[in-house]
Amino acid sequence: MAEGSEQQIIRELKDGSQAALGHIYDLYAARLTAFCLHFTKTTEDTEEIVEDVFISIWNSRAFIRQEETLNGLIFRMARNRLINVFRQRVNSPDFADFVDYNNLSVSGEDEVERHLEFDDFMRDVNKALDELPKTQRDVVRHSKIEGMNNKEIANAMGLSEQTVKNSLSLGLKALRKRLWPGYTFLMLFFAI
C-alpha cells in the first residue's frame, strides 16, 4: 500500500464506501485473525471476533477519529472482545471447560471418570457456597453460575451495587480459601 493510501481509505470509509471497508479488511484481517487465534485457540471464536470488529468498524464509521491508521483502533476492539470471551468462559464453569482442563493436565482417563470428577468438583463448589453467608452465597451464585452482572444482581436482590461488589469479592475470596489447592483450575472459574 502506498504512503498515505490508508489515510485516503479511512476518509472513504467515513464517507460510507463499502469498497474502503473491503480494503481495510484486506489490510488487517490476516493479522487480526492470527492475533485472536493466539488467545482463543479456536477458529470459531476467532472468526466471530474478527467479523464483529469489522461490522463495528462499519457501523461506527461516522465516529472514527483516527485519520492516519486504524491499526490501534482495530486491535483495541479485538482485545476488548477477547476479554469478553474470556469473561464468559470464566463466568460459566461447565463440563466442557472441565474436560478441556483435564485434557491438558491428565491424559488417558475415560469419559465416565471425567464426569465423576466434574460431579465431585461441582458438589464441592456447592458445599463451599452453602457455607458462605446468605448474601455472599446468593451474589456468587448469581454472578458466577447464572452469569448476571452486578447491576442485575443488585436489582434482583434489592441491594446497592457496592454491596454486591463487596459481597462478591468476599465470597470469592472465601471460596478460593476453602477449595484451594484441591482444584487448582478453580481460579479460572471464580476470578473476579
Side-chain angles (χ1 to χ4, degrees), residues 15-143:
D15 289 337
S17 167
Q18 290 182 356
L21 179 66
H23 289 301
I24 296 293
Y25 181 88
D26 291 342
L27 183 62
Y28 289 104
R31 286 186 291 155
L32 191 61
T33 298
F35 172 76
C36 293
L37 190 58
H38 174 76
F39 294 101
T40 66
K41 310 293 188 221
T42 70
T43 55
E44 183 179 300
D45 285 340
T46 296
E47 289 171 357
E48 188 174 317
I49 290 169
V50 171
E51 180 179 300
D52 190 38
V53 166
F54 286 102
I55 288 170
S56 293
I57 291 287
W58 177 253
N59 289 337
S60 61
R61 65 190 177 276
F63 305 103
I64 294 174
R65 291 179 289 174
Q66 289 77 4
E67 295 179 6
E68 304 285 322
T69 180
L70 294 179
N71 186 66
L73 175 65
I74 286 173
F75 282 90
R76 187 170 48 255
M77 291 171 79
R79 191 197 83 213
N80 291 339
R81 282 157 179 80
L82 282 166
I83 290 169
N84 289 338
V85 166
F86 285 120
R87 279 188 183 140
Q88 289 170 350
R89 287 183 185 164
V90 165
N91 287 339
S92 60
D94 62 14
F95 180 71
D97 292 334
F98 183 81
V99 169
D100 288 344
Y101 168 79
N102 268 330
N103 286 338
L104 292 174
S105 64
V106 180
S107 59
E109 294 184 26
D110 68 1
E111 199 67 20
V112 173
E113 191 167 333
R114 286 194 182 126
H115 277 281
L116 293 173
E117 287 180 9
F118 180 72
D119 290 344
D120 288 343
F121 162 67
M122 286 309 296
R123 190 173 19 261
D124 289 347
V125 166
N126 285 319
K127 183 178 176 187
L129 278 170
D130 288 341
E131 294 172 4
L132 295 176
K134 182 177 178 8
T135 301
Q136 290 177 19
R137 176 180 61 238
D138 292 345
V139 167
V140 171
R141 280 189 199 276
H142 286 315
S143 176

